[in-house]
Amino acid sequence: MAESLRSGSKIAQVRLGTGGPLVGIQGLGCMGMSEFYGETDLAAARDTLVAALDAGVTLFDTADVYGRGANEEFLAPFVGAHRDEITLATKFAIQRTDDPRYRAVRNDPAYIRKAVEESLRRLKTEVIDLYYMHRRDPAVPLAESVGAMAELVERGLVRHLGLSEVTGAELREAHAVHPIAALQSEWSLFSRDVERSAVGAAAELGVAFVPYSPLGRGFLTGAFADAGKELSEDDFRRHQPRFTGDNAKTNAALLEPVHKIAAAHGATAAQVALAWVQQRAEVHSLAVVPIPGTRKTSRLLENVAATRLKLTEEELAVLEPIAGQVAGDRYPDMSSTSAARE
């Protein structure tokens, strides 16, 4: 399927929120270009960014926490060279230190004002197209956080606002303070927590949904059955419950129907998983822009080609029960996710 894109055709576009930017119906998650998934060939990663844009991918997603700022710095030359062609998304809220185990969440206005200035400096740009609150700190009133983000729009530092890992009620509360263009949360064949309330709220409010990890951090590609043997020592997935021990074996077995459907279409398991997200969003009348991450051009073209794959109603029915059978949580600590506050 990926071959067809080398002829120069581009993917369709969708709007992020009411009055937001038009972007390709698939974006690119850039986190893995800086850390979490083992060593990166930076030259190959740069080529992947260009290939993505050539294929019609225009939403490029990063965060200040990825590589503790290194990912934003890595993207800066690409952003500068293609500023008018892309929609640049970054995030604030997660704090890290030299201690690799330390994580904290901050949503207070003073922190937000400081974080945006630092992201603008690292990205070497004057404005961020889409600025997300990466995680919610329930100790800070949501109106305070979103109010501070709205001030950034008024100052011309940010064009549109986004939230990540919030519930439907939280999305409604935030949207009442300032329009939210996009909600970014995990959504895949393996992770459907968001369908409890967030998906319906986003559809009701006209907020676009940006699924991260639509390939289950790579598990839905069918490549992993034993993370301890197949992943490098510095790959964070070695410590994710779904990639660990018996959980990994159980979850690998769940992919059998995915592989069968892929074979019937001459596609890959990853393409079936991405097509499922697109078609699941259609059920909810929801604009969706999945952001699978990759560092390789070949994988990028494979992922983008999935936007042309249509699954039948029978195939969708076969895939429907998978999420309910997955073993293990999506994070070792789920406390900062929307699922913990439902």
Side-chain angles (χ1 to χ4, degrees):
M1 293 182 67
E3 290 295 326
S4 64
L5 288 175
R6 295 197 174 104
S7 65
S9 58
K10 295 191 176 185
I11 59 176
Q13 292 187 315
V14 68
R15 191 171 299 280
L16 293 181
T18 303
L22 279 172
V23 299
I25 60 172
Q26 188 178 114
L28 179 62
C30 300
M31 178 183 80
M33 295 178 176
S34 294
E35 67 170 336
F36 298 114
Y37 292 101
E39 288 190 24
T40 293
D41 180 332
L42 293 179
R46 292 187 196 100
D47 289 344
T48 300
L49 294 173
V50 174
L53 187 57
D54 287 345
V57 172
T58 56
L59 178 62
F60 292 83
D61 184 271
T62 182
D64 59 3
V65 72
Y66 302 158
R68 293 171 60 193
N71 196 240
E72 290 179 328
E73 291 173 345
F74 168 75
L75 285 176
F78 174 75
V79 171
H82 303 281
R83 193 64 192 92
D84 295 336
E85 302 170 80
I86 70 170
T87 295
L88 173 64
T90 192
K91 316 177 195 74
F92 74 89
I94 301 177
Q95 275 191 313
R96 294 171 63 186
T97 67
D98 291 335
D99 180 351
R101 298 166 297 180
Y102 178 84
R103 295 287 190 281
V105 175
R106 286 189 62 179
N107 293 169
D108 56 282
Y111 180 79
I112 294 170
R113 296 182 192 108
K114 180 174 181 287
V116 74
E117 295 286 357
E118 292 178 350
S119 285
L120 288 166
R121 174 181 55 79
R122 285 188 293 263
L123 289 161
K124 296 183 179 177
T125 188
E126 295 181 353
V127 62
I128 293 164
D129 299 312
L130 178 58
Y131 199 44
Y132 288 103
M133 186 172 75
H134 205 164
R135 290 293 185 271
R136 170 89 202 281
D137 176 6
V140 179
L142 193 55
E144 284 188 20
S145 302
V146 179
M149 295 169 72
E151 290 176 8
L152 304 181
V153 177
E154 292 172 6
R155 293 171 57 193
L157 303 179
V158 169
R159 290 195 171 105
H160 304 282
L161 302 185
L163 302 173
S164 180
E165 288 287 355
V166 297
T167 66
E170 290 168 338
L171 178 59
R172 289 187 179 92
E173 181 182 351
H175 195 74
V177 176
H178 187 280
I180 303 299
L183 169 58
Q184 182 180 137
S185 293
E186 187 165 356
W187 195 12
S188 74
L189 269 171
F190 268 19
S191 301
R192 296 177 61 177
D193 305 347
V194 293
E195 293 182 36
R196 296 176 194 165
S197 70
V199 165
E204 173 191 322
L205 298 170
V207 175
F209 207 103
V210 179
Y212 74 79
S213 296
L215 296 177
R217 298 175 181 81
F219 208 109
L220 288 165
T221 67
F224 305 105
D226 187 341
K229 294 179 181 178
E230 297 162 339
L231 299 172
S232 62
E233 289 294 330
D234 58 349
D235 193 309
F236 89 119
R237 290 173 293 186
R238 291 175 65 93
H239 308 290
Q240 299 296 302
R242 293 180 177 178
F243 284 80
T244 304
D246 289 340
N247 286 350
K249 295 174 183 177
T250 296
N251 295 335
L254 296 177
L255 295 178
E256 182 179 353
V258 179
H259 290 298
K260 287 183 178 179
I261 291 170
H265 286 274
T268 65
Q271 289 171 329
V272 170
L274 290 169
W276 179 88
V277 172
Q278 292 281 357
Q279 289 180 242
R280 186 63 189 164
E282 290 174 8
V283 171
H284 295 277
S285 301
L286 182 67
V288 65
V289 185
I291 50 168
T294 184
R295 298 170 288 192
K296 298 179 179 179
T297 296
S298 59
R299 291 296 186 196
L300 178 280
L301 294 177
E302 175 187 331
N303 291 344
V304 170
T307 63
R308 297 179 178 175
L309 174 61
K310 284 294 182 184
L311 305 176
T312 67
E313 291 299 322
E314 292 78 10
E315 289 167 340
L316 292 170
V318 169
L319 298 173
E320 180 64 22
I322 288 178
Q325 302 170 42
V326 174
D329 285 333
R330 47 195 179 97
Y331 291 106
D333 179 2
M334 291 282 288
S335 62
S336 66
T337 69
S338 58
R341 299 191 302 279
E342 288 284 2

